[in-house]
Amino acid sequence: MLAEHITVAKDNSIKIPSLKPNFNELTEDYKKSKGAIVEKFYNKNWKWNKLNGGFLVAKNGEILYENYGGLANRKTKEEIDSHTALHVASVSKVLTATLALKLVDIGSLELDQKVNTILPTFPYEKITVKMLLNHRSGLPKYEYFCSDKKIWNQEVMLSNQDILDVMAKHKINLYATPDRKFAYCNTNYAMLALIIEELTDMDYREAMKTFIFDPLEMNDTYVFDYDKHKDNASLSYKANNVVYKFDFLDNIYGDKNIYSTPRDLLKFDLATYSENFLSPELAKEVYKGYSYEKRGIKNYGLGIRLKEWKSGEKLFFHNGWWHGNTSSYVTLKKDTVTIIALSNKFSKKPYGVYKLAPKFGSYPIKKNR
């Protein structure tokens, strides 16, 4: 059993207490006025309704504004709607981290536990689970060292286990001394996925569905499987509408490869307010910074990015980019606001949706043009 509050019914479905927080109901006037502000922002940033994906803003779990547009597949003319699962790229890390943290919450895993006590062939002695979560491990980037043809044949799909095997066999040098500095690296989350598999005795895809997606009723969300989904998943496009072809890195999970919708990610965000989801003590560890970047404002917690200002305001978010897919998940904890933007046609516009934050709280962000 993954957690004490989870039970399995006779039909093998997962049953958990309600994870919906007890927020106050919004007034119609509030929803109308804020919805108009968000719509104005949308019209400025996606002129002529050029959104190729989904955009949603909610307060207290109530959707203030959402919009969907573009095509999931230009050849078949399949249109994107609220149920179209799009590749959320590195926003997947937020969800991977959550399942790893659930394992910590129930005592199956420790934040300061060394990775090689779980994955015996992991060749780096000093790296801990926490260092994977907060990108302080110093691990090299698998997408770089596996692009060396002497190390990996790019005609063969790479797996998470292959990454571990390559590091063990070739004694790939660390990028930095463990816990010395922040260095964003996809390898961290590819290893976390293997840890999840080892401790749950499930494939990562099955574990995510069983312990995250199904309990939260994220019914349109799944982890991409190249053999199973390559012919029916939403496609990824360059800015000129040329489709990105799948390559040998497209079957790695943990760091990417979750396909979801704005509404499903809203369900996830609402659950993060519940003490039934992660204990308050552990949640504090998630939403604090472990490394400071430029100007002391940018930071990284456990699977989440932060903007922290001297005023005390904090904004939590994660962006993603893989092939032509770009994504942004923004959660304003103090103001109980969720902002989500997903695109399957390359665009940096999703990254700017955090600029809506001052419309809901006192965030010292430069005014949107």
Side-chain angles (χ1 to χ4, degrees), residues 112-357:
D112 293 323
Q113 187 171 350
K114 289 185 177 181
V115 175
N116 64 5
T117 65
I118 310 160
L119 306 175
T121 61
F122 186 77
Y124 311 104
E125 172 68 25
K126 296 182 179 180
I127 295 176
T128 66
V129 171
K130 182 186 287 186
M131 293 177 202
L132 299 181
L133 286 163
N134 62 21
H135 293 289
R136 294 182 61 86
S137 70
L139 281 174
K141 297 182 178 182
Y142 73 76
E143 59 269 38
Y144 290 175
F145 64 76
C146 286
S147 292
D148 184 342
K149 293 182 180 180
K150 295 179 182 178
I151 290 177
W152 188 260
N153 176 7
Q154 278 101 64
E155 297 299 317
V156 178
M157 295 297 288
L158 187 72
S159 73
N160 290 56
Q161 185 63 46
D162 289 329
I163 296 171
L164 176 56
D165 292 345
V166 165
M167 291 192 297
K169 178 181 178 179
H170 294 275
K171 303 296 188 290
I172 306 294
N173 290 330
L174 289 173
Y175 169 78
T177 301
D179 211 26
R180 177 69 61 83
K181 65 178 182 178
F182 172 86
Y184 186 86
C185 177
N186 290 327
T187 311
N188 292 316
Y189 279 73
M191 293 301 100
L192 282 169
L194 290 181
I195 289 172
I196 287 169
E197 291 183 331
E198 182 67 24
L199 296 181
T200 63
D201 197 28
M202 292 181 178
D203 176 83
Y204 168 84
R205 299 180 177 95
E206 181 185 0
M208 292 300 295
K209 183 177 188 300
T210 300
F211 299 116
I212 302 294
F213 305 154
D214 283 355
L216 299 183
E217 298 182 352
M218 297 172 68
N219 300 325
D220 295 315
T221 300
Y222 65 93
V223 181
F224 181 81
D225 182 323
Y226 179 75
D227 292 330
K228 181 179 179 180
H229 299 123
K230 60 183 171 60
D231 295 326
N232 52 40
S234 62
L235 297 179
S236 169
Y237 293 92
K238 299 179 182 180
N240 62 358
N241 293 326
V242 174
V243 68
Y244 271 95
K245 295 181 179 179
F246 292 114
D247 62 35
F248 75 104
L249 299 174
D250 274 310
N251 215 30
I252 306 300
Y253 44 68
D255 60 324
K256 63 180 187 303
N257 260 344
I258 290 178
Y259 281 61
S260 190
T261 68
R263 288 187 182 183
D264 273 4
L265 290 176
L266 173 60
K267 293 175 183 178
F268 167 79
D269 187 58
L270 289 177
T272 65
Y273 290 91
S274 171
E275 293 184 3
N276 288 326
F277 198 54
L278 286 180
S279 67
E281 295 77 17
L282 188 56
K284 289 179 182 178
E285 297 297 310
V286 173
Y287 296 106
K288 75 177 185 182
Y290 294 86
S291 305
Y292 284 89
E293 301 173 59
K294 298 177 182 178
R295 298 184 299 280
I297 295 174
K298 296 181 180 180
N299 212 327
Y300 203 96
L302 301 182
I304 196 75
R305 289 187 180 273
L306 293 77
K307 288 182 182 289
E308 298 180 286
W309 292 276
K310 292 181 179 179
S311 62
E313 295 293 342
K314 293 184 180 183
L315 181 151
F316 305 100
F317 73 105
H318 213 297
N319 292 336
W321 178 8
W322 181 247
H323 296 328
N325 306 289
T326 54
S327 56
S328 187
Y329 159 69
V330 180
T331 179
L332 309 178
K333 293 300 180 192
K334 180 181 176 182
D335 299 293
T336 58
V337 171
T338 313
I339 305 169
I340 298 162
L342 307 177
S343 177
N344 72 329
K345 178 179 176 181
F346 179 75
S347 170
K348 293 185 178 180
K349 292 186 182 299
Y351 303 152
V353 296
Y354 76 93
K355 293 179 181 178
L356 273 168

Side-chain angles (χ1 to χ4, degrees), residues 39-51:
E39 183 175 19
K40 182 178 179 181
F41 176 91
Y42 173 85
N43 289 333
K44 277 188 176 181
N45 287 275
W46 282 280
K47 293 181 179 179
W48 305 292
N49 203 28
K50 290 294 184 179
L51 172 69

